[in-house]
Amino acid sequence: MSAAPRCVASGLAEPASRRSARPRELLIVDDHPIVLQGFRLLAEEAGIARVHEARDIVGAYRTFHRHRPSVVVTDLSFRDDGLSGLSLIRRIRALEPGARILALSMHRDPVIVARVLECGALGFVLKDTPAAAFLEALEAVTNGRSYLPHDIAIEIAMLNAGARDRPLANLSSREMQILVLIGKGKPYDEIAEILTLNYRSVVNATAALRCKLGVGSMAELMQIAAAQAGTVS
C-alpha cells in the first residue's frame, strides 16, 4: 500500500496489555488478484495463521459459511456489481450477528462509509492506507472495536448533522446500491438479478428514489446516479 495520511482509530485508547492477538483466521474479499496477494502477504507477515480468499460476494459468503473466520476484510465494489460489498456485509451479519468486518475502498464518500457502518461493518479503511494503520484497523475490528480514519469520522458526523439538507444521506443501503447500478447503465432486470430482487421491487425502489431525491424525470435521476456511480467505480 502506498503512503497516505495515517488513519486514526476510534477506540484504540486501551492499554497494549488488554489488546488481543491478530485474528487467527482471516477472509479477504477482492476481485483484483494483485490486491489479494498484497493483503495475503501482509496478513502472513502479521502472523495470521490462516488466510482465505474470495473474488466475488457469492464465493465470499460460501467461504465464510464454511470456515467462520475471525475477521472478514472486504472491498465494496466488484466490477459491474456496484456496491455489492454492502450486500455481502449484510448477508454475513444476518448469518453471524457477531461477525467482525472491516471494509475497504478506494473512495472516501462519507455517505457510502455511513452505509457501510449501517450494514454492520465495524471499520472502514482506504485502500491506500499505510500497512501499519491497516494492521491497527484489523486489530481494532478483531477486538470488537470500531475503526474509522479521523477525517472521515468527522465528515460522517457532519453528514448526520445536516442529513435533512442532503437527500443522498437519507437513502437506505439498498437504495444506494440501486442508484449506483442505475448510474452504471444497468437495466432493471439486471439490477434485480445482481441484488437478488424481483423486477417489480426494483421498479418500485426507483420510483421511491425519484421521490426522495426530488427529481421529476428518469433522465434527472440517471444524471444523479451517474455522478454517484463515478465515486465507486
Side-chain angles (χ1 to χ4, degrees):
M1 299 180 211
S2 60
R6 187 176 181 277
C7 282
V8 176
S10 127
L12 280 182
E14 290 182 313
S17 60
R18 291 181 58 189
R19 296 178 189 168
S20 64
R22 303 276 192 263
R24 299 180 305 278
E25 202 164 342
L26 180 69
L27 169 59
I28 303 171
V29 189
D30 197 288
D31 58 2
H32 295 90
I34 294 177
V35 174
L36 283 175
Q37 182 181 15
F39 279 114
R40 170 178 280 278
L41 290 173
L42 183 59
E44 289 174 350
E45 289 174 5
I48 297 173
R50 191 173 185 184
V51 181
H52 304 281
E53 296 177 0
R55 297 189 182 184
D56 57 58
I57 63 171
V58 174
Y61 183 80
R62 289 174 178 168
T63 300
F64 182 85
H65 189 278
R66 184 180 305 118
H67 298 285
R68 303 298 173 103
S70 308
V71 176
V72 177
V73 177
T74 182
D75 195 0
L76 295 180
S77 304
F78 293 84
R79 291 191 170 87
D80 295 329
D81 289 357
L83 290 169
S84 56
L86 294 176
S87 294
L88 175 63
I89 294 169
R90 279 200 305 268
R91 291 183 65 191
I92 287 176
R93 286 298 301 268
L95 176 67
E96 181 61 64
R100 295 175 177 182
I101 303 171
L102 175 63
L104 298 166
S105 180
M106 286 297 297
H107 306 283
R108 52 171 300 118
D109 186 332
V111 173
I112 294 173
V113 179
R115 295 298 172 264
V116 168
L117 303 179
E118 177 188 289
C119 287
L122 276 176
F124 172 89
V125 291
L126 294 165
K127 279 191 173 182
D128 60 359
T129 295
F134 169 74
L135 291 176
E136 282 188 358
L138 189 61
E139 180 180 289
V141 170
T142 299
N143 294 314
R145 302 193 303 271
S146 61
Y147 189 103
L148 283 177
H150 181 65
D151 53 346
I152 293 180
I154 292 174
E155 289 175 13
I156 290 175
M158 294 175 65
L159 178 73
N160 291 337
R164 293 180 181 177
D165 300 321
R166 296 187 59 177
L168 285 177
N170 297 319
L171 301 184
S172 68
S173 298
R174 178 66 79 192
E175 288 169 337
M176 185 66 74
Q177 285 180 289
I178 292 172
L179 184 66
V180 169
L181 290 170
I182 289 173
K184 289 180 178 292
K186 301 293 183 183
Y188 289 163
D189 56 349
E190 192 170 344
I191 293 174
E193 183 178 355
I194 289 170
L195 299 180
T196 321
L197 299 171
N198 62 53
Y199 182 89
R200 178 52 56 183
S201 293
V202 176
V203 172
N204 291 341
T206 303
L209 279 171
R210 288 175 58 182
C211 180
K212 282 190 174 184
L213 297 177
V215 298
S217 68
M218 193 62 191
E220 290 180 87
L221 179 64
M222 291 187 72
Q223 287 182 338
I224 295 173
Q228 190 64 25
T231 71
V232 297
S233 59

